[in-house]
Amino acid sequence: MSEPFSGASASSSRTSSRMVADSEDISRALRRLAHQVVENVKDVSHLVIMGIPTRGVPIAERLAKNIGDIEKISIPVGSLDVTLFRDDLQMRPTKALEQTRLPAEGIDGKTVILVDDVLFSGRTIRAALDAINEYGRPAVVQLAVLVDRGHRELPIRADYVGKNLPTSLSEKVSVQISEIDSVDQVVIQSTIEQL
Amino acid sequence: MKHLISVQELSREDTVGILDTAIELNRVTDGGTKILPTLRGRTVVNLFYEDSTRTRISFERAAKRLSADVVTFSANGSSVSKGESLKDTALTLNAMGADMIVLRHPSPGAAHRLAHAGWLESSVLNAGDGKHEHPTQALGDAFTLRAHLRPGANDFAGLTIGIVGDVLHSRVARSNIFLLGILGAKVIVIGPPTLLPVGIENWPCEVSYSLDAHLPELDAIMMLRVQQERMNGTFFPSELEYSRTFGLNRKRAKELPEHAIVMHPGPMNRGVEITAEVADSGRSVITEQVVNGLIVRMASMYLLIGGDASVA
Amino acid sequence: MSLNSYLIVGARPYGEDEQDIRIINGCIAEIGVGLDPENLEVVQAKGRVCLPSFVDLHAHLREPGREDAETISSGSRAATLGGFSAVFAMANTAPVADTAGVVEQVWRIGRQTGLVDVFPVGAVSIGLHGQALAELGAMAASAAGVTVFSDDGYCVFDPLLMRRALEYVKTFDGVIAQHAQDPRLTQGAQMNEGELSGILGLTGWPAVAEEAIIARDVLLALHVDSRLHICHVSTAGSVAIIRWAKEMGVRVTAEVTPHHLLLTEDLVSGFDPVYKVNPPLRSRADTIALREALLDGTIDIVATDHAPHPHEAKDCEWDNAAFGMLGLETALGVVVSAMRDVPNWNWRTLSDRMSSAPARIGRATNHGRPLAVGESAHIVLIDPDQGSLVVAEQLASLSGNTPYAGMTLPVSVTDVFFNGVHQVKGGVLNA
């Protein structure tokens, strides 16, 4: 499946990659985010972390564990597939649905923190807000992302950002998480036009 | 996947993919009761050349649950009944910008023609073409079987499923036999030889003329509807003789294993192929089949027109 | 310089050694090596196979009634481009060719067109209804001189009517050409009955529906000692019955179409009605049996069953489409394609099956004659090495329902002489 926002075709271009965060950087960022959440959310007993598949889910689990370690409680984690709520479905190839799993406690009256790997146009988060709305009525919804690469198309911002990463539109940000990719790293791929 | 015409075009991966999509849709819509914005702005046309209120309503609901615009042309009261050809109707619908055409037609292969004759660009979903196929019915039945007998599994290996009755005239039976074969189940087709197609011995199923001989080995039994027009004495002597030989009654149902489920694609002839007692019993999943049909239709619609098929 | 006189140089009669052929006033005047052209126009034919022009005992020219699909004129053009000099035009026109008036009209329009001899086939029964005999004697005695009678499209199902027809045509040495199809066993039938019809859900057309009628009719023909011809034989079982009947001394002849020699039922699986034909395309085993039967003479002839249909009759769903496919312009190439790998098949056998035998059955005495001095110059030249691509839009037929579109057939007709008129040159008709 191709990255829908990437640039020119492979025949006339080549790509180069550079790593901008390694495993240690990611762990440090997630520890920092956990502290920020604990500081910001006064009562973590009503906290629910919802990861957006695919890589938002393991990130959500790590974040929840970090928070739980600090507060010595278990934080409920769920997953929220937003595919069915996207407004740009018709611009991409059909995608298999990922799992949506609400925690047993539900989300009504809770403080829900949505977690995604990369914040880009904001359309995923808009869809996530619609999806959340379909499944319940949280008291508060916040957003945590590992990377914010800019280029927002909607008035959406993250409450917790692991790393701000200024990028060009022709670049592709790839967050790799060991649960899925067997390595923790953030890579920027640039496509170089061959003249 | 642009069209869904025949289960025979599906691989096992395709099939499991549709069933998995249906599971997610079932979960996020609470059994098809919630409305999703997924197909907002897309137009689904139900083009029905045969009267089938049940199927038409199921497809309409599936499209509406996904927020598509739904237009229904049925054989009564439109150009379809005024002798306009399928091609001309197709050209009209194409001009209207239909993203998907759900076609029910009495002629086998009509959906295939609509999809491949070069008349239009829309996706085509076969909602029953003569005696050929009815893929979403079979997918719904596979969804039901999976939920009851193989939750979460990616095949039906080890399952034995009986399909009983008029296979000759049944698109539901064709789609089910081939789809269950794709999923690796053992299928036993049971009926009088007059209602079995020539060459069925080469299909992925066993053939038997005796229902009683197979009841104890069936994990599920699908009873096919006996059409009124077949009861004229040329396919079998009488309704009574048919139900004595091939009808599912309480006595026969007792011979089934405890876990076995009873299925019927509907509408039923109570007292002919199935008694009311069995149809309404605890092991009957007939009403679930209706709901699951809706869910797999939603899944099929999402997979066919949810994304841009031209982007690879 | 005389009219319709040529010297064909270097052609290979029946695919054998090169000869020159002198045509004077529409007749073959001399055959030999190194003939002096004198003042004749020379037709260079080096390497070309030279055969007597073909005779088609079974074509639908659609006129009168369906001139949107074909006319006698357009059908004649298609026929000559296919290498034919004579075409028997089937009776299922509108009005039906069941009276002297209709057959004479068809015959006259054929004469006026003048590209091939058009021999009308008379209907066996009034209106093809299978109830009462048409005026067979009047059609035989008409200017058209009808010798072949057929209800083609419908089977003469009533055994008593069939018996009477066979008896009646003995008075003028006629022949009944039977469309062998039991109508009860083929109610609503759409394709060959077998595993594929079951899978596709298309109503099956069992082989027995053809074979049962052939079995009955050869027994009737034996009983009344009359001439029976079986149209478009399509099954191995039919071949076996006809073989048996010939051994028993029944005066039965049989035809096979080019498409039943080459095409098989698996083409139906795409539901494209261009492959919908009556009788239906059959199995691979059937085509092999038909090829063997054509070689050994059990099946006497190839007949095209050329069946033009307007575009809309095929541009629809299968059930609603018309039966039939074009045949005249592609017959030779399809026969060569189907038969070239059959051992012992040669140009002489092809010539017998496509020219002399059909002329003999139809009593077309001026056609299907050997390439010999004194005979009318109905001659076709064939390039055996030059394939021809079939393009539906480029056919002379008014219709385009050919199943061979896009195929390259292995040989091509380059020149056709009709009564010595050099009317097809280099594969092009002199209009």
Side-chain angles (χ1 to χ4, degrees):
Chain A
M1 197 183 291
S2 72
E3 159 66 37
F5 302 105
S6 66
S9 67
S11 59
S12 63
S13 62
R14 63 185 173 84
T15 54
S16 72
S17 301
R18 76 192 142 93
M19 190 174 71
V20 292
D22 62 12
S23 169
E24 185 46 42
D25 296 333
I26 290 172
S27 298
R28 201 181 304 116
L30 288 176
R31 280 197 300 274
R32 179 168 50 77
L33 290 188
H35 283 287
Q36 286 176 358
V37 170
V38 171
E39 190 172 320
N40 196 306
V41 180
K42 299 303 177 212
D43 181 4
V44 293
S45 66
H46 288 103
L47 197 56
V48 169
I49 313 285
M50 296 286 288
I52 297 174
T54 308
R55 286 168 186 76
V57 176
I59 296 172
E61 282 162 357
R62 292 192 200 178
L63 182 60
K65 182 169 184 308
N66 289 350
I67 297 167
D69 287 349
I70 296 164
E71 293 290 303
K72 309 289 181 236
I73 57 164
S74 169
I75 306 290
V77 182
S79 65
L80 182 71
D81 182 37
V82 305
T83 310
L84 295 164
F85 296 86
R86 297 196 73 98
D87 61 6
D88 54 0
L89 278 176
Q90 298 176 25
M91 298 158 67
R92 304 150 167 256
T94 308
K95 189 171 163 293
L97 299 184
E98 305 273 0
Q99 289 194 343
T100 295
R101 296 289 181 277
L102 302 189
E105 302 85 343
I107 56 173
D108 288 347
K110 306 284 185 186
T111 297
V112 171
I113 298 183
L114 291 170
V115 178
D116 204 359
D117 54 353
V118 180
L119 180 58
F120 185 14
S121 66
R123 289 181 189 275
T124 301
I125 306 307
R126 188 213 57 77
L129 292 172
D130 279 357
I132 284 282
N133 203 33
E134 195 62 42
Y135 301 126
R137 195 186 176 286
V140 178
V141 180
Q142 295 185 332
L143 174 63
V145 297
L146 188 60
V147 173
D148 183 348
R149 63 168 294 192
H151 305 290
R152 212 77 73 241
E153 294 167 7
L154 295 170
I156 282 170
R157 60 161 189 81
D159 300 276
Y160 313 101
V161 177
K163 187 175 179 60
N164 277 301
L165 202 59
T167 56
S168 129
L169 271 174
S170 67
E171 290 171 324
K172 188 186 160 194
V173 175
S174 164
V175 170
Q176 293 162 19
I177 295 296
S178 60
E179 289 90 326
I180 293 163
D181 308 293
S182 69
V183 61
D184 274 2
Q185 61 179 9
V186 179
V187 170
I188 294 185
Q189 290 164 342
S190 351
T191 303
I192 298 155
E193 295 290 332
Q194 298 285 291
L195 295 173
Chain B
M1 194 162 63
K2 174 156 189 196
H3 309 292
L4 180 55
I5 308 294
S6 156
V7 301
Q8 294 173 68
E9 298 167 355
L10 299 177
S11 66
R12 186 176 293 186
E13 291 67 37
D14 294 334
T15 306
V16 172
I18 295 169
L19 297 180
D20 284 344
T21 303
I23 285 175
E24 280 308 306
L25 278 166
N26 191 33
R27 197 189 310 272
V28 301
T29 62
D30 282 349
T33 56
K34 282 188 181 151
I35 294 179
L36 298 170
T38 314
L39 297 184
R40 191 174 286 153
R42 301 234 143 181
T43 302
V44 172
V45 176
N46 288 314
L47 180 55
F48 273 57
Y49 285 79
E50 280 182 334
D51 237 0
S52 172
T53 312
R54 297 160 56 97
T55 308
R56 181 174 52 75
I57 287 175
S58 181
F59 275 103
E60 279 178 5
R61 283 172 54 102
K64 284 178 178 165
R65 289 289 178 273
L66 295 173
S67 302
D69 290 333
V70 183
V71 181
T72 297
F73 283 73
S74 54
N76 300 325
S78 79
S79 58
V80 168
S81 57
K82 294 175 193 157
E84 186 177 271
S85 74
L86 179 60
K87 179 185 178 180
D88 287 328
T89 306
L91 295 177
T92 305
L93 298 178
N94 198 44
M96 286 167 54
D99 295 290
M100 168 180 279
I101 296 178
V102 175
L103 179 70
R104 163 66 69 101
H105 197 283
S107 174
H112 188 282
R113 284 292 278 166
L114 191 64
H116 300 294
W119 300 333
L120 44 69
E121 288 140 33
S122 323
S123 285
V124 175
L125 202 168
N126 183 6
D129 58 334
K131 295 174 287 179
H132 180 219
E133 283 227 33
H134 192 358
T136 57
Q137 175 72 40
L139 287 163
D141 291 348
F143 186 96
T144 306
L145 286 162
R146 194 187 194 204
H148 282 271
L149 301 170
R150 285 287 186 274
N154 287 340
D155 63 46
F156 285 176
L159 286 186
T160 301
I161 292 151
I163 298 180
V164 185
D166 182 2
V167 175
L168 180 63
H169 300 96
S170 173
R171 51 189 165 219
V172 173
R174 275 178 184 72
S175 290
N176 264 312
I177 291 168
F178 288 105
L179 193 70
L180 291 169
I182 289 165
L183 289 168
K186 173 180 166 187
V187 177
I188 305 175
V189 168
I190 302 158
T194 48
L195 292 177
L196 300 178
V198 165
I200 193 171
E201 57 280 1
N202 296 326
W203 295 16
C205 60
E206 287 179 21
V207 179
S208 170
Y209 307 138
S210 166
L211 177 55
D212 291 318
H214 297 284
L215 290 168
E217 60 182 301
L218 300 180
D219 298 297
I221 186 167
M222 290 186 189
M223 305 307 296
L224 300 173
R225 176 180 166 77
V226 179
Q227 305 277 345
Q228 284 296 331
E229 59 266 32
R230 316 289 176 222
M231 299 186 195
N232 57 11
T234 64
F235 288 96
F236 49 86
S238 71
E239 201 177 303
L240 203 62
E241 178 160 324
Y242 182 89
S243 66
R244 262 201 308 265
T245 321
F246 297 105
L248 187 61
N249 50 31
R250 183 176 57 165
K251 187 163 164 292
R252 287 203 170 104
K254 275 189 177 161
E255 298 296 314
L256 291 166
E258 200 124 313
H259 67 272
I261 56 173
V262 172
M263 306 175 77
H264 192 299
M268 285 180 279
N269 294 303
R270 286 169 183 257
V272 184
E273 69 268 7
I274 190 167
T275 63
E277 203 179 358
V278 177
D280 300 334
S281 70
R283 57 176 33 182
S284 160
V285 296
I286 296 169
T287 51
E288 266 178 61
Q289 287 177 267
V290 177
V291 176
N292 295 341
L294 170 73
I295 298 292
V296 297
R297 279 164 196 139
M298 289 173 66
S300 306
M301 286 179 179
Y302 165 67
L303 291 170
L304 292 182
I305 60 168
D308 179 353
S310 68
V311 184
Chain C
M1 182 164 168
S2 30
L3 196 61
N4 298 336
S5 302
Y6 300 92
L7 185 68
I8 302 173
V9 175
R12 297 160 51 209
Y14 304 103
E16 293 158 10
D17 294 339
E18 288 185 3
Q19 305 267 338
D20 301 341
I21 301 170
R22 191 188 307 283
I23 300 172
I24 301 291
N25 292 330
C27 288
I28 298 174
E30 192 180 5
I31 301 179
V33 179
L35 299 188
D36 181 353
E38 297 163 10
N39 57 349
L40 293 179
E41 182 179 336
V42 170
V43 178
Q44 277 298 345
K46 189 155 178 59
R48 300 268 195 274
V49 173
C50 176
L51 301 177
S53 295
F54 308 129
V55 175
D56 188 6
L57 200 64
H58 189 152
H60 297 272
L61 300 186
R62 301 294 187 219
E63 186 176 356
R66 286 311 300 267
E67 290 84 354
D68 57 329
E70 198 79 286
T71 62
I72 292 167
S73 167
S74 66
S76 295
R77 287 198 297 277
T80 189
L81 282 164
F84 291 87
S85 61
V87 172
F88 286 75
M90 274 297 168
N92 61 338
T93 48
V96 170
D98 58 358
T99 62
V102 177
V103 294
E104 284 197 359
Q105 182 196 5
V106 171
W107 178 74
R108 282 217 177 80
I109 297 171
R111 293 266 292 195
Q112 284 159 12
T113 304
L115 294 172
V116 293
D117 282 337
V118 174
F119 297 109
V121 174
V124 174
S125 66
I126 295 170
L128 309 174
H129 295 315
Q131 308 279 324
L133 288 182
E135 292 186 346
L136 308 182
M139 290 189 273
S142 73
V146 177
T147 56
V148 181
F149 297 88
S150 180
D151 277 0
D152 183 62
Y154 300 94
C155 181
V156 180
F157 183 49
D158 178 350
L160 188 58
L161 187 76
M162 187 64 185
R163 174 199 172 140
R164 300 285 187 243
L166 285 166
E167 287 176 317
Y168 197 80
V169 295
K170 288 168 73 174
T171 53
F172 41 83
D173 190 31
V175 60
I176 303 295
Q178 173 68 295
H179 173 118
Q181 177 192 352
D182 185 311
R184 287 285 291 157
L185 285 173
T186 53
Q187 270 185 354
Q190 297 292 327
M191 70 169 291
N192 181 44
E193 183 166 275
E195 189 184 345
L196 187 61
S197 65
I199 290 170
L200 298 179
L202 288 168
T203 304
W205 189 308
V208 63
E210 175 174 309
E211 293 154 4
I213 296 293
I214 296 176
R216 180 199 77 177
D217 286 354
V218 295
L219 294 174
L220 282 174
L222 180 66
H223 183 57
V224 302
D225 187 29
S226 186
R227 286 209 295 144
L228 168 69
H229 177 75
I230 307 296
C231 295
H232 40 56
V233 169
S234 71
T235 77
S238 298
V239 168
I241 293 165
I242 293 164
R243 191 171 281 141
W244 172 83
K246 286 187 166 183
E247 282 165 12
M248 295 294 288
V250 179
R251 295 161 69 195
V252 62
T253 54
E255 73 189 32
V256 62
T257 67
H259 49 270
H260 287 110
L261 288 172
L262 186 67
L263 307 179
T264 51
E265 61 174 344
D266 47 293
L267 293 164
V268 177
S269 51
F271 295 102
D272 184 343
V274 79
Y275 301 111
K276 182 172 174 178
V277 67
N278 175 352
L281 299 179
R282 303 286 189 181
S283 72
R284 180 92 193 133
D286 290 309
T287 62
I288 288 167
L290 293 168
R291 292 174 193 178
E292 285 167 0
L294 185 64
L295 176 73
D296 72 19
T298 302
I299 290 177
D300 303 79
I301 68 169
V302 172
T304 67
D305 198 6
H306 178 80
H309 288 290
H311 186 66
E312 61 272 19
K314 291 287 193 180
D315 195 23
C316 58
E317 55 277 22
W318 183 278
D319 275 354
N320 293 338
F323 288 99
M325 43 182 67
L326 299 184
L328 284 167
E329 288 167 82
T330 49
L332 173 69
V334 173
V335 170
V336 170
S337 196
M339 299 301 291
R340 59 182 161 178
D341 294 330
V342 176
N344 302 318
W345 180 258
N346 57 35
W347 289 107
R348 258 191 203 277
T349 315
L350 181 141
S351 181
D352 177 75
R353 307 299 190 258
M354 293 188 71
S355 182
S356 40
R360 201 161 53 238
I361 295 166
R363 302 296 191 245
T365 49
N366 187 35
H367 295 270
R369 303 291 303 161
L371 293 173
V373 173
E375 301 291 352
S376 296
H378 297 312
I379 293 173
V380 55
L381 298 179
I382 299 158
D383 187 332
D385 304 314
Q386 178 63 54
S388 50
L389 175 69
V390 182
V391 179
E393 295 75 19
Q394 290 172 8
L395 296 174
S397 173
L398 292 185
S399 296
N401 55 306
T402 174
Y404 311 110
M407 279 174 64
T408 298
L409 300 174
V411 299
S412 48
V413 170
T414 61
D415 296 79
V416 176
F417 296 85
F418 176 67
N419 279 319
V421 179
H422 190 189
Q423 62 192 28
V424 174
K425 290 182 190 171
V428 177
L429 179 62
N430 293 349

